[in-house]
Amino acid sequence: MTISVERFDGLEEEWDEFASAQHGFTHFHRLRWRALIGKVFAHECAYLAARDADDRLVGILPLVRVRSFVFGHYLVSMPFLNYGGPLGSDEAVQALVEAAVAMAQREKVKLLELRSRIPLKVSLHASHRKITVMRDLPDDPDVLFKQFDSRLRSQIRRPQKEGVTVEFGPDQVVPFFKVFARHMRDLGTPAQPLRFFREIARQFPDDCWFACAYLGGMPVAAGCGFRFGDEFEMTWASSLRAYNREAPNMLLYWSCMERAIRDGARRFNFGRCTPETGTHRFKMQWGGREEQLWWYDYAATADVATPSPNDRAYRWGPRIWRRLPESIATTFGPSIVRYIP
């Protein structure tokens, strides 16, 4: 089969219809993310398309360039998000990866990283440093609740007894961000800008869910996730440490599971995490199973990865960031995090 690779200049319907039919499809493969990331972060989005001799789409690769003087030059699919990578036939995927590697070599990119959810038949090195946790859903929330052990059911009931309530809707974007920004500051990590989440709500009004847990009228836990295929993924979730005793995050997750079941989802995706961390253990307590992620990379030099606060060179950053007033962290965080894919 003769396959050519070029930048995609077709219609959104063509890209999305093809992507959604492929094994390994995620919400982050939708074409609309190209305009969103370009608008919010001003990053170049080099979305590649593979076509056969009859000009039929046989493969796609969303690719974003993230470049800064401090952190370096990266090509990532997809930055700031859990998944990406090429979709299509094996031959198309191989052609797309070859084109991406050639681009990285030609432009002296520090790292090309393809965050695939599934294994690919390519020659690149695969990192398994990230996993996701998945829980199958029955067709009735009551059935799911009874499947939990008594300890987990008690943790869900506790915030209800404390008066915690959960609300959904696009009007929850700002309350979500208040919780998210404070939580990220406490972790020592810059937060994405409010504009990012507002644009997500605007671009994906039907399949992006914003949820906030309230206690005494104040948001104390919040989440943002996406409905696609047969699943719902909780992509971002935060809870204020001062309210750990009330456990509002437990009710937040349970409310999202209830809504996902009623919406027809059959899988609840807890989102990516690093194995053997507190986040990993939190997600596993819901009775889920681990699913390995396949992050393929091509690096200019050995042992290169996207920047992380766990890297020795950057460990000083979280220690300083945790001490900043929340207003300063929220103001200056976006100008930093836009360069950390």
Side-chain angles (χ1 to χ4, degrees):
M1 179 187 296
T2 301
I3 294 178
S4 61
V5 176
E6 58 188 16
R7 295 204 181 194
F8 182 78
D9 61 358
L11 298 176
E12 179 179 359
E13 291 77 9
E14 180 189 21
W15 177 285
D16 284 355
E17 182 178 349
F18 176 85
S20 63
Q22 305 306 306
H23 179 48
F25 165 74
T26 71
H27 190 277
F28 311 119
H29 285 94
R30 291 187 59 181
L31 186 65
R32 199 163 292 189
W33 283 99
R34 179 175 66 176
L36 191 155
I37 289 177
K39 179 178 180 179
V40 174
F41 300 105
H43 292 319
E44 177 192 353
C45 298
Y47 275 44
L48 303 181
R51 297 186 181 274
D52 63 14
D54 296 320
D55 201 38
R56 291 176 300 193
L57 197 60
V58 292
I60 59 169
L61 173 57
L63 202 57
V64 179
R65 187 187 312 279
V66 181
R67 174 163 37 190
S68 74
F69 176 77
V70 175
F71 298 111
H73 185 183
Y74 300 90
L75 287 172
V76 185
S77 175
M78 289 284 287
F80 320 120
L81 303 169
N82 292 344
Y83 315 114
L87 300 177
S89 67
D90 290 343
E91 295 82 2
V93 167
Q94 291 165 6
L96 288 162
V97 170
E98 289 173 3
V101 169
M103 183 187 303
Q105 292 173 333
R106 183 173 61 252
E107 300 174 0
K108 296 181 172 55
V109 169
K110 185 177 181 180
L111 178 72
L112 166 69
E113 184 172 71
L114 308 177
R115 298 175 177 176
S116 177
R117 187 171 180 176
I118 58 173
L120 305 174
K121 293 182 179 179
V122 297
S123 59
L124 297 184
H125 167 264
S127 167
H128 299 301
R129 68 184 185 274
K130 298 293 182 181
I131 62 172
T132 191
V133 176
M134 193 76 66
R135 166 88 202 208
D136 292 328
L137 299 174
D139 57 6
D140 186 336
D142 290 337
V143 172
L144 178 62
F145 192 80
K146 292 175 182 177
Q147 291 174 353
F148 296 148
D149 61 36
S150 59
R151 180 175 176 272
L152 186 57
R153 292 197 298 267
S154 176
Q155 288 178 308
I156 295 170
R157 292 188 180 110
R158 182 192 305 170
Q160 292 175 317
K161 293 177 180 177
E162 296 288 344
V164 176
T165 59
V166 175
E167 297 183 16
F168 289 88
D171 58 338
Q172 300 303 308
V173 173
V174 172
F176 159 85
F177 184 76
K178 289 180 178 179
V179 176
F180 175 73
R182 178 176 293 184
H183 176 76
M184 295 301 287
R185 192 283 310 269
D186 291 346
L187 292 176
T189 303
Q192 301 288 358
L194 174 59
R195 184 186 180 200
F196 179 53
F197 298 104
R198 278 181 165 154
E199 192 64 19
I200 287 174
R202 190 179 75 84
Q203 293 287 350
F204 306 111
D206 298 326
D207 46 359
C208 176
W209 301 354
F210 283 90
C212 279
Y214 289 85
L215 180 61
M218 185 173 71
V220 293
C224 171
F226 298 89
R227 177 76 169 86
F228 60 95
D230 66 348
E231 71 184 72
F232 171 80
E233 186 206 64
M234 182 75 89
T235 308
W236 295 281
S238 304
S239 182
L240 301 184
R241 291 177 178 175
Y243 298 89
N244 283 351
R245 188 188 69 83
E246 290 83 1
N249 57 330
M250 300 301 293
L251 185 58
L252 176 78
Y253 272 81
W254 169 243
S255 298
C256 288
M257 289 182 193
E258 282 188 301
R259 178 175 176 180
I261 290 173
R262 295 192 176 103
D263 198 59
R266 288 297 170 260
R267 298 191 297 169
F268 190 93
N269 185 338
F270 288 84
R272 87 179 190 217
C273 59
T274 302
E276 306 306 324
T277 60
T279 301
H280 178 211
R281 289 187 288 273
F282 171 85
K283 294 176 180 181
M284 290 299 295
Q285 73 177 327
W286 296 88
R289 64 183 181 277
E290 299 174 357
E291 288 193 1
Q292 185 67 67
L293 298 183
W294 299 74
W295 287 17
Y296 292 90
D297 60 72
Y298 172 82
T301 58
D303 300 323
V304 175
T306 47
S308 167
N310 296 321
D311 296 343
R312 181 177 300 178
Y314 304 120
R315 286 178 184 172
W316 54 270
R319 292 196 295 268
I320 294 175
W321 205 258
R322 291 187 192 102
R323 295 186 174 95
L324 292 178
E326 184 180 347
S327 60
I328 294 178
T330 302
T331 299
F332 293 100
S335 62
I336 298 173
V337 77
R338 69 188 296 263
Y339 298 116
I340 305 177

